[in-house]
Amino acid sequence: MNQSGKFVISLDFELLWGVRDNQSLESYGPNILGVWQAIPGMLELFDRYGVRATFATVGMLFAASKKEMEAYVPENKPAYARPVLSPYNGHIEQVGETESEDKYHFASELISLIQKYPEQEISSHTFSHYYCLEEGQDLEDFRADMEAAVAIAAARDISLKSLVFPRNQCNAAYLRVCSELGIESYRGNEEVWFHKAVSSKGENYYRRAFRLADAYLNLSGYRCHEIEQMAKSFPFNIPSSRFLRPYSPKARLLEGLRLRRICRSMTHAARHRKVFHLWWHPHNFGSHLGENLAFLEKILRHYRKLHDQYGYESMTMRDVGDLLKARRHG
């Protein structure tokens, strides 16, 4: 394998589609609108520091209007046991007619902006923010959803090669469909009990509490991955290493610990030629944008230091997939 560590960033780009079942416009609307400033800010930083990232994008965001979006809605729809999880149970009727009047549900302009940075990857977060471990949906529903995601992306000359499962509900039984539709890699979960893929019913306070503490204290280790291990199955599993928690005024005194936790893992990956995979949602930066971008810049500066010292390399998920394919066929 390529003898250098890899730095992978993936972003769950979803706007309101990703939180509409547990957030309201009143409570979280400012974060969603903040994405329209956050993504340009992140792209500028990525460009400045030579960092490549994967924007895993909900298919509905590719549309510039409700009419365009509805043209891709599949006939097969998930019948979740919890109806609130489906955007087709009342929510889609509330969507505005055009992107100019509804910045919560459409993002074709932001997608066009990302396309102007060819080193960045636009990948899939399914079409409808589809939940692969929930009761009431099945393989064929997932197939229909992903076919819609592939089609709406293709209409904008985007070929989807990687996937991030919404809510990290990674379902191994669905990987065959991913492969059939051209998906070559996906973001798997960290191999620690409080990051294990579960349905919404399986989520609980203890898992959330441990994840929060792990952002500041080394409870689960560096969570760096051997790239050789990723080559053993297809589509390739490029597991997450760390969720980049957003700035919180209540935890501002712990910012040094949060930064150290990430930078130490990156350093471990660079020294030991492993993969460190950082991820977050653009809407996490939607409030306290200045503080979040400043924190991200500190991470990217550390990346440049490791790049210069160890040859640490920034890669998209697609890049890693291409590397693994080349090694398989080499």
Side-chain angles (χ1 to χ4, degrees):
M1 278 294 172
N2 193 308
Q3 294 302 302
S4 66
K6 311 300 179 191
F7 181 40
V8 178
I9 289 177
S10 59
L11 301 152
D12 298 20
F13 182 20
E14 53 194 38
L15 293 186
L16 196 62
W17 298 111
V19 297
R20 49 164 198 80
D21 59 307
N22 54 32
Q23 297 280 4
S24 66
L25 276 180
E26 291 72 28
S27 66
Y28 206 68
N31 278 71
I32 300 300
L33 292 183
V35 172
W36 288 82
Q37 287 73 50
I39 284 184
M42 289 187 287
L43 287 170
E44 193 278 328
L45 285 177
F46 293 155
D47 187 59
R48 186 189 310 170
Y49 289 95
V51 168
R52 305 163 74 89
T54 294
F55 289 78
T57 307
V58 166
M60 288 175 164
L61 297 183
F62 285 82
S65 68
K66 187 174 183 178
K67 182 178 180 181
E68 181 184 0
M69 178 187 68
E70 289 180 332
Y72 290 91
V73 170
E75 288 188 22
N76 266 36
K77 301 179 181 66
Y80 299 121
R82 293 181 58 215
V84 69
L85 294 177
S86 175
Y88 307 116
N89 289 331
H91 186 85
I92 204 168
E93 286 77 12
Q94 303 170 27
V95 173
E97 294 300 321
T98 65
E99 183 168 337
S100 61
E101 67 184 74
D102 190 343
K103 301 290 189 181
Y104 301 99
H105 295 98
F106 304 118
S108 68
E109 293 177 13
L110 285 175
I111 291 168
S112 295
L113 176 63
I114 298 168
Q115 285 182 286
K116 293 179 180 178
Y117 294 81
E119 66 278 10
Q120 310 302 332
E121 177 192 10
I122 297 174
S123 71
S124 183
H125 202 33
T126 71
F127 179 74
S128 65
H129 205 257
Y130 188 100
Y131 303 117
C132 295
L133 293 178
E134 297 294 337
E135 295 179 25
Q137 55 80 38
D138 60 28
L139 182 68
E140 291 311 310
D141 294 336
F142 175 72
R143 182 190 299 276
D145 187 273
M146 285 301 299
E147 286 175 345
V150 169
I152 199 169
R156 297 191 180 276
D157 297 320
I158 295 170
S159 175
L160 303 178
K161 292 297 181 183
S162 64
L163 170 70
V164 170
F165 288 93
R167 302 274 166 89
N168 294 309
Q169 291 190 14
C170 179
N171 190 332
Y174 290 4
L175 293 177
R176 175 174 55 83
V177 168
C178 296
S179 178
E180 291 169 359
L181 295 176
I183 300 297
E184 298 175 347
S185 63
Y186 67 99
R187 189 181 75 206
N189 293 15
E190 298 173 47
E191 294 178 356
V192 59
W193 69 268
F194 48 84
H195 285 291
K196 183 181 178 182
V198 296
S199 67
S200 54
K201 189 182 297 184
E203 191 57 89
N204 58 52
Y205 167 79
Y206 296 103
R207 284 167 51 88
R208 291 191 294 269
F210 271 89
R211 289 199 298 267
L212 175 61
D214 193 44
Y216 300 95
L217 304 172
N218 191 348
L219 300 184
S220 63
Y222 292 120
R223 311 314 307 165
C224 299
H225 308 286
E226 298 281 354
I227 198 164
E228 290 84 355
Q229 189 65 30
M230 299 175 190
K232 293 182 178 180
S233 60
F234 187 85
F236 305 117
N237 178 7
I238 307 172
S240 64
S241 299
R242 183 85 64 247
F243 170 59
L244 176 58
R245 287 193 168 273
Y247 172 83
S248 169
K250 295 179 180 178
R252 63 185 181 277
L253 297 179
L254 301 177
E255 286 293 90
L257 288 176
R258 184 164 72 101
L259 181 64
R260 186 175 67 177
R261 181 81 172 99
I262 292 169
C263 289
R264 285 186 172 180
S265 292
M266 292 170 64
T267 300
H268 181 83
R271 286 176 175 169
H272 297 276
R273 300 169 183 171
K274 294 186 177 184
V275 178
F276 179 76
H277 189 166
L278 186 68
W279 71 278
W280 67 94
H281 311 85
H283 60 69
N284 296 138
F285 279 31
S287 61
H288 306 294
L289 178 60
E291 291 87 348
N292 282 308
L293 288 178
F295 191 89
L296 175 60
E297 185 166 15
K298 292 177 182 177
I299 293 172
L300 302 187
R301 282 177 183 162
H302 188 64
Y303 160 71
R304 290 305 308 182
K305 177 182 175 182
L306 296 173
H307 173 76
D308 294 341
Q309 188 172 357
Y310 298 102
Y312 196 41
E313 188 176 7
S314 173
M315 282 191 160
T316 65
M317 291 177 64
R318 183 172 189 159
D319 292 335
V320 175
D322 287 344
L323 176 66
L324 293 170
K325 281 193 301 179
R327 177 58 65 165
R328 266 190 165 192
H329 299 141

